[in-house]
Amino acid sequence: MNRFLPRALMAPAVAALFLWMIVPLAMTIYFSLIRFNLMQPEVRGFAGLGNFEYFVTDPSFMTAVVNTVVLLASVIAITVAGGIAVALLVDAPFPGRSLVRLLLIAPFFVMPTVNALLWKHMMMNPIYGVLAQVWQFFGLQRVDWLTDLPLFSIILMVAWQWLPFATLIFITSLQSMNREQLEAATMDGANYLQKLRFMVIPHLGRSIAVVIMIEMIFLMSVFAEIFTTTGGGPGDASTNVAFLIFKQALLNFDAGVASAGALFAVLLANVAAVFLIRMIGKNLD
Amino acid sequence: MNEPVPLHLDEAPLALPVARKRAALPWTIRYNLALAVRTAAAWLVTLLLFFPLGWMALTAFKTELQAIQVPPLFFFRPTLENFVEVQQRSDYLLYAKNSVITSVCSTLIGLAIAAPAAYSMAFFRTKKTRDILMWMLSTKMMPAVGALVPIYVLAQSANLLDTRTGLIVVFTLSNLPIMVWMLYSHFKDIPAEILEAARMDGATLWQEARMVLLPLAMGGFASTGLLCLVLAWNEAFWALNLSSAKSGTLATLIASYSSPEGLFWAKLSAASLMAIAPIVVFGWLTQKQLVQGLTFGAVK
């Protein structure tokens, strides 16, 4: 086989992705340097770094960055810890285990818009919502989730969706554990926590890395849940970077500022990518 | 210099009492008790986590009045009127058709582009292979919203706004990195010697791919395709921003219920149920392959 063929086979994918990356990037850089309002296409002109300044000094900006990080970190923490716990719970056989597994993974297949509306209307509605009923049953003050705890509500929805993903992967990984080793440890007098700490968790290391990597890729740009529930509000309480850019582009029609924000998102993604490759990339080769 | 480690024989008995204090109950009873506790705990957690979906499914068969009844209603006479009304009001079938066409087409096109690339990277590794793979993944990490304005402008000038073609192109490109990665990790598990042997026997590249690689990597193709089908079906961001009445997918149909009109819970539930049922059932049927796919085959 000559040297040409492997490259030719790779070409379509590399070319397609290169265009998919470079064309929007080039246009974004261009837009970010001009005044460009979608509602007034005739008003154009060089803006220098004005758009960047506007975006970065926007009071919403820091909030959005913090929210993005908080959302990412909390959902990953909840799903990894919760996923391991649930996986351990359903690892050993018990009546109805296969049905349990089907029910457990179902939320992962639910599309984000359905997830969001399901929680917004049926679970978190302060008057009729199921959570309100439960709170009242226990004699607690009802919570207006999306108004009082907007970011937490979003975290809850997203974590609910991704917990099954983590669980599913941990279940699969647990099945490949060496049972004889575990039994030997029991014989030697190791208690449950010791076995968990020194045998189970290390065995799950690789799958934890996979879960963190995939979730980071998808959670950086959580959008639909915010779009369909809080609309980023109240104020900026549940706005992440992705939603802030969207707000500038399609609600304020300011493509210039939105593009400056997009370049910031690219930067953020690359920082995350470097971090990811360092921490996890080696684990996956 | 290797001195034998002295055995502390006097320490050994200390480990024994562990076995003694547990012997109070016969092991059969202890076992059954543990099983009962574990079963109850597992079912409790499962039902809690599944509850929102189950509740939505129940609500879909209620009347609007029953849907918002306080305290919530668990037993009632089910009705199908919501499903009929969703179809009549918003043409569910058109959105469903758009969802099926866009997700299936983007998956097939994606596989056709990703497979040769993954083959080349897995069997003709160079120093750059790893960098290329990482670069591909990094394109997936950029929030889609970053590319929204340019893609919107391009789609507009190419007359692809609100067309299925436009969505197919975008879905394919946004899933492509994942597809290359998944196929690559599946191909890597295939011993290169098998392919070489076929080549020695005079097989052309096409024959080699069709008669040796394809049968061996069938599982990989299946799991990659399945996952991308799920991702494309559930894709909301591009669908919301690039399509509306003509080419909208089920994700956009549901988003249209977020307005105050959406307070018709029973109808919202019926529409949601119809939007997720196909892909959930599909996911259940293929969960084994999906795990392989989701983890790039890294978790066995």
Side-chain angles (χ1 to χ4, degrees), chain A residues 203-223:
Chain A
H203 175 79
L204 289 177
R206 198 181 169 81
S207 43
I208 293 175
V210 172
V211 169
I212 294 179
M213 179 171 114
I214 310 254
E215 287 193 5
M216 261 182 98
I217 291 173
F218 284 92
L219 297 178
M220 288 272 285
S221 40
V222 165
F223 174 79

PDB file of all heavy atoms in Angstrom, chain A residues 203-223:
ATOM      1  N   HIS A 203     -10.569   0.370  40.150  1.00  0.00           N
ATOM      2  CA  HIS A 203     -10.992  -0.370  38.961  1.00  0.00           C
ATOM      3  C   HIS A 203     -11.853   0.518  38.053  1.00  0.00           C
ATOM      4  O   HIS A 203     -11.817   0.406  36.834  1.00  0.00           O
ATOM      5  CB  HIS A 203     -11.792  -1.610  39.375  1.00  0.00           C
ATOM      6  CG  HIS A 203     -12.373  -2.354  38.227  1.00  0.00           C
ATOM      7  ND1 HIS A 203     -11.631  -3.205  37.445  1.00  0.00           N
ATOM      8  CD2 HIS A 203     -13.616  -2.343  37.686  1.00  0.00           C
ATOM      9  CE1 HIS A 203     -12.395  -3.708  36.485  1.00  0.00           C
ATOM     10  NE2 HIS A 203     -13.608  -3.190  36.610  1.00  0.00           N
ATOM     11  N   LEU A 204     -12.647   1.395  38.679  1.00  0.00           N
ATOM     12  CA  LEU A 204     -13.545   2.251  37.885  1.00  0.00           C
ATOM     13  C   LEU A 204     -12.814   3.453  37.278  1.00  0.00           C
ATOM     14  O   LEU A 204     -13.411   4.213  36.510  1.00  0.00           O
ATOM     15  CB  LEU A 204     -14.689   2.762  38.761  1.00  0.00           C
ATOM     16  CG  LEU A 204     -15.733   1.724  39.189  1.00  0.00           C
ATOM     17  CD1 LEU A 204     -16.760   2.379  40.106  1.00  0.00           C
ATOM     18  CD2 LEU A 204     -16.427   1.121  37.991  1.00  0.00           C
ATOM     19  N   GLY A 205     -11.543   3.636  37.618  1.00  0.00           N
ATOM     20  CA  GLY A 205     -10.822   4.835  37.186  1.00  0.00           C
ATOM     21  C   GLY A 205     -10.992   5.169  35.727  1.00  0.00           C
ATOM     22  O   GLY A 205     -11.339   6.292  35.353  1.00  0.00           O
ATOM     23  N   ARG A 206     -10.801   4.194  34.886  1.00  0.00           N
ATOM     24  CA  ARG A 206     -10.871   4.412  33.457  1.00  0.00           C
ATOM     25  C   ARG A 206     -12.265   4.864  33.016  1.00  0.00           C
ATOM     26  O   ARG A 206     -12.408   5.797  32.226  1.00  0.00           O
ATOM     27  CB  ARG A 206     -10.509   3.102  32.760  1.00  0.00           C
ATOM     28  CG  ARG A 206     -10.116   3.228  31.336  1.00  0.00           C
ATOM     29  CD  ARG A 206      -9.834   1.810  30.846  1.00  0.00           C
ATOM     30  NE  ARG A 206      -9.699   1.768  29.414  1.00  0.00           N
ATOM     31  CZ  ARG A 206      -8.594   2.096  28.766  1.00  0.00           C
ATOM     32  NH1 ARG A 206      -7.549   2.508  29.427  1.00  0.00           N
ATOM     33  NH2 ARG A 206      -8.550   2.020  27.456  1.00  0.00           N
ATOM     34  N   SER A 207     -13.290   4.225  33.586  1.00  0.00           N
ATOM     35  CA  SER A 207     -14.639   4.616  33.178  1.00  0.00           C
ATOM     36  C   SER A 207     -15.017   5.970  33.756  1.00  0.00           C
ATOM     37  O   SER A 207     -15.782   6.714  33.142  1.00  0.00           O
ATOM     38  CB  SER A 207     -15.661   3.546  33.551  1.00  0.00           C
ATOM     39  OG  SER A 207     -15.418   3.060  34.824  1.00  0.00           O
ATOM     40  N   ILE A 208     -14.471   6.313  34.927  1.00  0.00           N
ATOM     41  CA  ILE A 208     -14.713   7.661  35.457  1.00  0.00           C
ATOM     42  C   ILE A 208     -14.123   8.689  34.488  1.00  0.00           C
ATOM     43  O   ILE A 208     -14.762   9.701  34.175  1.00  0.00           O
ATOM     44  CB  ILE A 208     -14.097   7.822  36.870  1.00  0.00           C
ATOM     45  CG1 ILE A 208     -14.831   6.929  37.868  1.00  0.00           C
ATOM     46  CG2 ILE A 208     -14.164   9.274  37.329  1.00  0.00           C
ATOM     47  CD1 ILE A 208     -14.228   6.916  39.254  1.00  0.00           C
ATOM     48  N   ALA A 209     -12.921   8.397  33.980  1.00  0.00           N
ATOM     49  CA  ALA A 209     -12.300   9.305  33.012  1.00  0.00           C
ATOM     50  C   ALA A 209     -13.182   9.458  31.779  1.00  0.00           C
ATOM     51  O   ALA A 209     -13.396  10.572  31.290  1.00  0.00           O
ATOM     52  CB  ALA A 209     -10.919   8.784  32.622  1.00  0.00           C
ATOM     53  N   VAL A 210     -13.721   8.346  31.293  1.00  0.00           N
ATOM     54  CA  VAL A 210     -14.586   8.417  30.109  1.00  0.00           C
ATOM     55  C   VAL A 210     -15.817   9.276  30.387  1.00  0.00           C
ATOM     56  O   VAL A 210     -16.186  10.151  29.594  1.00  0.00           O
ATOM     57  CB  VAL A 210     -15.028   6.998  29.676  1.00  0.00           C
ATOM     58  CG1 VAL A 210     -16.076   7.081  28.587  1.00  0.00           C
ATOM     59  CG2 VAL A 210     -13.830   6.207  29.194  1.00  0.00           C
ATOM     60  N   VAL A 211     -16.430   9.043  31.545  1.00  0.00           N
ATOM     61  CA  VAL A 211     -17.643   9.800  31.876  1.00  0.00           C
ATOM     62  C   VAL A 211     -17.334  11.294  31.946  1.00  0.00           C
ATOM     63  O   VAL A 211     -18.046  12.118  31.367  1.00  0.00           O
ATOM     64  CB  VAL A 211     -18.243   9.298  33.213  1.00  0.00           C
ATOM     65  CG1 VAL A 211     -19.318  10.242  33.703  1.00  0.00           C
ATOM     66  CG2 VAL A 211     -18.806   7.903  33.041  1.00  0.00           C
ATOM     67  N   ILE A 212     -16.251  11.653  32.640  1.00  0.00           N
ATOM     68  CA  ILE A 212     -15.911  13.069  32.764  1.00  0.00           C
ATOM     69  C   ILE A 212     -15.655  13.678  31.386  1.00  0.00           C
ATOM     70  O   ILE A 212     -16.144  14.762  31.068  1.00  0.00           O
ATOM     71  CB  ILE A 212     -14.665  13.256  33.669  1.00  0.00           C
ATOM     72  CG1 ILE A 212     -15.011  12.836  35.096  1.00  0.00           C
ATOM     73  CG2 ILE A 212     -14.206  14.707  33.648  1.00  0.00           C
ATOM     74  CD1 ILE A 212     -13.855  12.966  36.062  1.00  0.00           C
ATOM     75  N   MET A 213     -14.936  12.942  30.543  1.00  0.00           N
ATOM     76  CA  MET A 213     -14.613  13.482  29.225  1.00  0.00           C
ATOM     77  C   MET A 213     -15.860  13.738  28.388  1.00  0.00           C
ATOM     78  O   MET A 213     -16.070  14.835  27.871  1.00  0.00           O
ATOM     79  CB  MET A 213     -13.691  12.518  28.487  1.00  0.00           C
ATOM     80  CG  MET A 213     -13.343  13.005  27.113  1.00  0.00           C
ATOM     81  SD  MET A 213     -12.069  11.996  26.383  1.00  0.00           S
ATOM     82  CE  MET A 213     -12.986  11.285  25.067  1.00  0.00           C
ATOM     83  N   ILE A 214     -16.721  12.718  28.285  1.00  0.00           N
ATOM     84  CA  ILE A 214     -17.915  12.884  27.455  1.00  0.00           C
ATOM     85  C   ILE A 214     -18.821  13.976  28.027  1.00  0.00           C
ATOM     86  O   ILE A 214     -19.359  14.803  27.296  1.00  0.00           O
ATOM     87  CB  ILE A 214     -18.700  11.566  27.372  1.00  0.00           C
ATOM     88  CG1 ILE A 214     -17.762  10.446  27.000  1.00  0.00           C
ATOM     89  CG2 ILE A 214     -19.875  11.691  26.430  1.00  0.00           C
ATOM     90  CD1 ILE A 214     -17.878   9.955  25.640  1.00  0.00           C
ATOM     91  N   GLU A 215     -18.975  13.981  29.349  1.00  0.00           N
ATOM     92  CA  GLU A 215     -19.882  14.977  29.920  1.00  0.00           C
ATOM     93  C   GLU A 215     -19.336  16.387  29.702  1.00  0.00           C
ATOM     94  O   GLU A 215     -20.095  17.316  29.427  1.00  0.00           O
ATOM     95  CB  GLU A 215     -20.111  14.703  31.407  1.00  0.00           C
ATOM     96  CG  GLU A 215     -21.009  13.491  31.613  1.00  0.00           C
ATOM     97  CD  GLU A 215     -21.511  13.357  33.038  1.00  0.00           C
ATOM     98  OE1 GLU A 215     -21.260  14.243  33.860  1.00  0.00           O
ATOM     99  OE2 GLU A 215     -22.164  12.336  33.315  1.00  0.00           O
ATOM    100  N   MET A 216     -18.022  16.546  29.830  1.00  0.00           N
ATOM    101  CA  MET A 216     -17.459  17.873  29.598  1.00  0.00           C
ATOM    102  C   MET A 216     -17.763  18.354  28.185  1.00  0.00           C
ATOM    103  O   MET A 216     -18.144  19.501  27.968  1.00  0.00           O
ATOM    104  CB  MET A 216     -15.949  17.851  29.817  1.00  0.00           C
ATOM    105  CG  MET A 216     -15.550  18.362  31.178  1.00  0.00           C
ATOM    106  SD  MET A 216     -13.787  18.368  31.375  1.00  0.00           S
ATOM    107  CE  MET A 216     -13.426  20.060  31.003  1.00  0.00           C
ATOM    108  N   ILE A 217     -17.610  17.435  27.218  1.00  0.00           N
ATOM    109  CA  ILE A 217     -17.851  17.815  25.833  1.00  0.00           C
ATOM    110  C   ILE A 217     -19.284  18.299  25.646  1.00  0.00           C
ATOM    111  O   ILE A 217     -19.542  19.312  25.012  1.00  0.00           O
ATOM    112  CB  ILE A 217     -17.555  16.633  24.899  1.00  0.00           C
ATOM    113  CG1 ILE A 217     -16.059  16.353  24.893  1.00  0.00           C
ATOM    114  CG2 ILE A 217     -18.058  16.899  23.489  1.00  0.00           C
ATOM    115  CD1 ILE A 217     -15.666  15.114  24.142  1.00  0.00           C
ATOM    116  N   PHE A 218     -20.229  17.571  26.251  1.00  0.00           N
ATOM    117  CA  PHE A 218     -21.618  17.923  25.999  1.00  0.00           C
ATOM    118  C   PHE A 218     -22.151  19.021  26.922  1.00  0.00           C
ATOM    119  O   PHE A 218     -23.058  19.753  26.553  1.00  0.00           O
ATOM    120  CB  PHE A 218     -22.511  16.679  26.097  1.00  0.00           C
ATOM    121  CG  PHE A 218     -22.392  15.791  24.890  1.00  0.00           C
ATOM    122  CD1 PHE A 218     -21.493  14.751  24.854  1.00  0.00           C
ATOM    123  CD2 PHE A 218     -23.161  16.035  23.764  1.00  0.00           C
ATOM    124  CE1 PHE A 218     -21.362  13.948  23.738  1.00  0.00           C
ATOM    125  CE2 PHE A 218     -23.041  15.245  22.642  1.00  0.00           C
ATOM    126  CZ  PHE A 218     -22.139  14.196  22.621  1.00  0.00           C
ATOM    127  N   LEU A 219     -21.574  19.142  28.126  1.00  0.00           N
ATOM    128  CA  LEU A 219     -22.140  20.086  29.089  1.00  0.00           C
ATOM    129  C   LEU A 219     -21.603  21.505  28.938  1.00  0.00           C
ATOM    130  O   LEU A 219     -22.193  22.445  29.440  1.00  0.00           O
ATOM    131  CB  LEU A 219     -21.890  19.610  30.523  1.00  0.00           C
ATOM    132  CG  LEU A 219     -22.548  18.284  30.891  1.00  0.00           C
ATOM    133  CD1 LEU A 219     -22.189  17.889  32.304  1.00  0.00           C
ATOM    134  CD2 LEU A 219     -24.057  18.375  30.744  1.00  0.00           C
ATOM    135  N   MET A 220     -20.452  21.639  28.234  1.00  0.00           N
ATOM    136  CA  MET A 220     -19.928  22.981  27.979  1.00  0.00           C
ATOM    137  C   MET A 220     -20.988  23.847  27.313  1.00  0.00           C
ATOM    138  O   MET A 220     -21.030  25.049  27.486  1.00  0.00           O
ATOM    139  CB  MET A 220     -18.732  22.916  27.033  1.00  0.00           C
ATOM    140  CG  MET A 220     -17.494  22.349  27.632  1.00  0.00           C
ATOM    141  SD  MET A 220     -16.506  23.584  28.427  1.00  0.00           S
ATOM    142  CE  MET A 220     -15.798  24.386  27.005  1.00  0.00           C
ATOM    143  N   SER A 221     -21.808  23.216  26.490  1.00  0.00           N
ATOM    144  CA  SER A 221     -22.728  24.008  25.678  1.00  0.00           C
ATOM    145  C   SER A 221     -24.185  23.690  25.973  1.00  0.00           C
ATOM    146  O   SER A 221     -25.011  23.699  25.074  1.00  0.00           O
ATOM    147  CB  SER A 221     -22.415  23.789  24.205  1.00  0.00           C
ATOM    148  OG  SER A 221     -22.119  22.440  23.970  1.00  0.00           O
ATOM    149  N   VAL A 222     -24.501  23.432  27.233  1.00  0.00           N
ATOM    150  CA  VAL A 222     -25.910  23.228  27.594  1.00  0.00           C
ATOM    151  C   VAL A 222     -26.711  24.437  27.120  1.00  0.00           C
ATOM    152  O   VAL A 222     -26.355  25.573  27.402  1.00  0.00           O
ATOM    153  CB  VAL A 222     -26.057  23.074  29.121  1.00  0.00           C
ATOM    154  CG1 VAL A 222     -27.505  23.225  29.540  1.00  0.00           C
ATOM    155  CG2 VAL A 222     -25.512  21.734  29.564  1.00  0.00           C
ATOM    156  N   PHE A 223     -27.760  24.173  26.366  1.00  0.00           N
ATOM    157  CA  PHE A 223     -28.520  25.292  25.827  1.00  0.00           C
ATOM    158  C   PHE A 223     -30.030  25.087  25.941  1.00  0.00           C
ATOM    159  O   PHE A 223     -30.742  25.919  26.494  1.00  0.00           O
ATOM    160  CB  PHE A 223     -28.140  25.529  24.367  1.00  0.00           C
ATOM    161  CG  PHE A 223     -28.975  26.568  23.692  1.00  0.00           C
ATOM    162  CD1 PHE A 223     -28.714  27.906  23.903  1.00  0.00           C
ATOM    163  CD2 PHE A 223     -30.033  26.211  22.883  1.00  0.00           C
ATOM    164  CE1 PHE A 223     -29.502  28.877  23.312  1.00  0.00           C
ATOM    165  CE2 PHE A 223     -30.832  27.170  22.285  1.00  0.00           C
ATOM    166  CZ  PHE A 223     -30.552  28.508  22.500  1.00  0.00           C
TER     167      PHE A 223
END
